[in-house]
Amino acid sequence: MSARHKSPHICCGALFTLLILSICISCSASLDGEIHSDGRTEFTLKSALLPNMERLLTSISSKGGGHIFDAAMLNRNFAAMPGIEASALRSAGRGGLEGSIVVSSLTQFLDSAADTIASKTGGKKFSAIALEHSAAGGSLTIDLNIDNGQELLLLISPDIVDYLSALMAPVATGEVIGRDAYLELVASVYGKAIADEIRGAQFLLNLVFPGSVESVNGGTGKGSHAKFTIPLADLLVLDRPLHYYVRWTPWRS
């Protein structure tokens, strides 16, 4: 893309965050994404519930002995979004999800996400994540807080919102509570084993960019790769904003 056709704030990050929040009760999850110079982006997801969390969500699920998460419904939701070329998520065991999502147009996805959120928040600006790129390189900024976390929940299936609410997660309830206080609350309601699983769980985000990664905040970078390890409890609570940043430059011949 030439400098004169620069497209600022193309928010493929909205999809990153949507996927993160969609699986942030999974306890063990990774998301790999590859961003191409033409804006096409491919994601691969792998998530699984840890034993105590799986038993808890099974007990509160309305699906009986079936899968806890409805992969077919998530695929329909994603596929219906402008800019999404394909969604091929599938169940992995009773409580896991794995598969891929392909974004053909980041601009269309941004416009769709922004319009949906604006219609439900009275026109509030969507600001969670932004990707800027031009002939000179680009940058990805991820800023998650309790306000935009709740905005993104508006795009997710009701089942996942219900599970997050059942876990009393502030990202769903809007309650302002610290990380330690939240884990104590979970332990008092569901037991120490559940709280310990949440405390130890992490979300891994691995991204490949169309150039050499020059700087990273909140993670590590090497070559065209940037990696982030995000504690699950931080995503559920968001009592402190989470900030991640990557800047890259084109490959030099």
Side-chain angles (χ1 to χ4, degrees):
M1 181 179 291
S2 67
R4 70 187 291 265
H5 288 99
K6 180 179 178 181
S7 297
H9 305 295
I10 296 176
C11 192
C12 74
L15 184 59
F16 296 162
T17 317
L18 181 55
L19 284 167
I20 289 170
L21 291 174
S22 296
I23 59 177
C24 70
I25 55 175
S26 297
C27 295
S28 176
S30 63
L31 179 66
D32 297 322
E34 182 170 1
I35 303 170
H36 301 280
S37 58
D38 62 358
R40 181 182 173 88
T41 307
E42 300 156 0
F43 295 97
T44 302
L45 167 69
K46 186 174 183 180
S47 70
L49 289 174
L50 295 177
N52 293 297
M53 184 66 72
E54 181 172 315
R55 283 192 287 272
L56 171 63
L57 294 186
T58 297
S59 70
I60 64 178
S61 174
S62 61
K63 297 180 176 61
H67 299 295
I68 294 174
F69 300 113
D70 190 336
M73 180 176 64
L74 287 172
N75 284 331
R76 289 193 297 271
N77 288 349
F78 281 123
M81 296 179 183
I84 303 297
E85 179 178 312
S87 180
L89 299 176
R90 57 188 177 276
S91 297
R94 290 213 60 235
L97 286 171
E98 60 183 31
S100 62
I101 295 178
V102 178
V103 183
S104 60
S105 172
L106 302 182
T107 302
Q108 282 187 327
F109 183 81
L110 167 63
D111 292 343
S112 173
D115 288 346
T116 299
I117 290 174
S119 69
K120 296 183 178 182
T121 61
K124 188 174 182 179
K125 182 180 178 181
F126 180 76
S127 60
I129 309 178
L131 174 69
E132 299 182 15
H133 65 89
S134 71
S139 65
L140 173 69
T141 305
I142 303 176
D143 283 307
L144 297 177
N145 56 56
I146 194 67
D147 292 327
N148 62 32
Q150 288 191 303
E151 291 173 18
L152 286 162
L153 284 179
L154 297 173
L155 301 175
I156 300 177
S157 72
D159 281 348
I160 293 175
V161 177
D162 288 346
Y163 289 136
L164 288 170
S165 297
L167 287 175
M168 302 168 292
V171 68
T173 66
E175 181 181 3
V176 179
I177 182 173
R179 184 177 186 273
D180 291 341
Y182 169 67
L183 292 171
E184 289 177 4
L185 176 61
V186 171
S188 69
V189 175
Y190 293 121
K192 184 175 182 296
I194 294 290
D196 286 346
E197 282 189 349
I198 294 175
R199 180 181 287 106
Q202 297 177 326
F203 176 79
L204 305 178
L205 179 61
N206 306 305
L207 300 174
V208 181
F209 295 91
S212 177
V213 170
E214 298 295 318
S215 63
V216 179
N217 181 66
T220 60
K222 183 178 181 180
S224 61
H225 296 252
K227 298 183 179 182
F228 303 89
T229 300
I230 308 172
L232 172 66
D234 290 353
L235 284 169
L236 293 177
V237 176
L238 290 177
D239 59 326
R240 291 174 295 182
L242 303 180
H243 176 78
Y244 305 96
Y245 175 81
V246 182
R247 180 173 62 83
W248 73 92
T249 57
W251 290 116
R252 298 175 176 84
S253 57

